[in-house]
Amino acid sequence: MSLNRIFDIAGSAMSAQSIRLNTTASNIANADTASSSTEEVYRARKPVFASIQQSVMNNGFNTAFTDNPESQGVEVKGIVESEAPLDMRFQPDHPMANDDGYVMYPNVNVVEEMTDMLSASRSFQTNVDVMDAAKTMMQRILTLGQ
Amino acid sequence: MTISFDNALGIHEQALNVRVKRAEVLANNLANADTPGFKARDLDFKAALNKQMGSAQNEIEMAMSKTNSNHISTRGESGEALLYKNPTQPSIDGNTVDTQQEMAAYMKNAMDYQASFQFLNGKFKALTGAIRGE
């Protein structure tokens, strides 16, 4: 029964969204982490999503075109650090200030992170609903003939 | 007298299979709602059901003749059932998934699955009744 694959698909999406929530949490937690050099300062982290492509070779020619959809679920290709400009503040009294009196703050945009968090949690909920509906469908099929 | 399950169950068995496949495609769309460049897909139900119903027949019609046992069997790809959706609100990263629409389609598909299931279950009940002579 290919209903099993719905669990894999929704599961992959839930795990991808939870990674996104993790990076968001890390970004917000470090939003005010000060540093004295551009190398050491925290940069906002973002996951890169990509759909898992169905391999034609693994499935043979017969099933690749007819039975299976092109892709199966979503995966996180990697986590990249944001290239946005850093926040340099002139705070000569700060213990982390460099020789010129500047302190580096991360390039985390807290408002952006909050909207990202909402989007991730909504997508997570959607996939929970998908899995729940698939579960109901499977339970129904078990009652066939009763 | 023999009972042919194919004749007795009718179209509902295939319909149930196509419903499962469509659920899978829609679940995949929802899973990729945040993937840049992902294009939403959907199953053309009629084409998919036709393919399920007459796959054996189509294969004979569309397949190239094999004159050697080493020839690879071919399949006609006319009437492809898995299509791309026309986006209503395409996003700037190239993603065409509309989560609300997909969710509505998924839920409707689940209800239609229940309907197909009811019909199939009815057929089985009728067969059981016939066997018992009720």
Side-chain angles (χ1 to χ4, degrees), chain A residues 1-3 5-6 9-10 12-13 17 20 49-52 61-62 65-74 119-120 123 126-127 129-131 133-134 136-138 140-146, chain B residues 16-17 19-21 23-36 38 41 51-52 59 72-73 75-77 80 82 84 99 103 106-107 109-110 113-114 117-118 120-121 124-125 128:
Chain A
M1 202 62 172
S2 58
L3 269 172
R5 263 187 280 176
I6 294 176
I9 291 169
S12 74
Q17 296 296 348
R20 190 170 163 210
F49 284 4
S51 55
I52 302 168
F61 288 103
N62 286 339
F65 296 117
T66 52
D67 291 331
N68 293 319
E70 209 173 52
S71 58
Q72 299 274 306
V74 61
S119 168
S123 299
T126 308
N127 282 291
D129 287 348
V130 166
M131 213 182 242
T136 317
M137 285 160 82
M138 265 183 126
R140 288 293 298 215
I141 209 78
L142 288 176
T143 65
L144 188 68
Q146 282 177 14
Chain B
L16 211 60
N17 274 330
R19 290 286 172 210
V20 170
K21 251 174 220 166
E24 199 183 303
V25 172
L26 293 175
N28 191 40
N29 286 345
L30 283 164
N32 283 290
D34 294 314
T35 308
F38 180 82
R41 312 198 75 177
K51 198 170 254 183
Q52 282 266 326
E59 223 168 337
I72 300 167
S73 68
R75 265 198 187 192
E77 276 184 78
E80 190 56 63
L82 195 60
Y84 289 95
T99 308
M103 204 63 204
Y106 184 83
M107 284 306 169
N109 187 59
Y113 175 91
Q114 299 256 0
F117 176 84
Q118 291 283 3
L120 191 62
N121 206 17
F124 270 116
K125 279 198 175 126
T128 321

Side-chain angles (χ1 to χ4, degrees), chain A residues 4-91:
Chain A
N4 281 322
R5 263 187 280 176
I6 294 176
F7 287 92
D8 295 341
I9 291 169
S12 74
M14 279 156 74
S15 116
Q17 296 296 348
S18 74
I19 289 173
R20 190 170 163 210
L21 270 177
N22 259 316
T23 57
T24 308
S26 162
N27 289 347
I28 292 177
N30 284 293
D32 290 316
T33 310
S35 179
S36 50
S37 75
T38 47
E39 284 80 41
E40 287 169 21
V41 70
Y42 182 90
R43 284 160 201 271
R45 272 140 218 221
K46 302 276 175 199
V48 180
F49 284 4
S51 55
I52 302 168
Q53 295 297 322
Q54 186 80 27
S55 167
V56 176
M57 294 312 287
N58 287 347
N59 288 285
F61 288 103
N62 286 339
T63 54
F65 296 117
T66 52
D67 291 331
N68 293 319
E70 209 173 52
S71 58
Q72 299 274 306
V74 61
E75 63 177 341
V76 177
K77 279 270 181 209
I79 292 167
V80 293
E81 291 191 331
S82 168
E83 298 287 321
L86 296 168
D87 187 11
M88 278 172 72
R89 292 182 207 163
F90 185 64
Q91 291 176 327

Side-chain angles (χ1 to χ4, degrees), chain A residues 61-62, chain B residues 59-76:
Chain A
F61 288 103
N62 286 339
Chain B
E59 223 168 337
I60 297 163
E61 283 171 10
M62 301 296 292
M64 284 195 258
S65 60
K66 286 189 275 187
T67 52
N68 188 308
S69 58
N70 291 330
H71 284 174
I72 300 167
S73 68
T74 54
R75 265 198 187 192

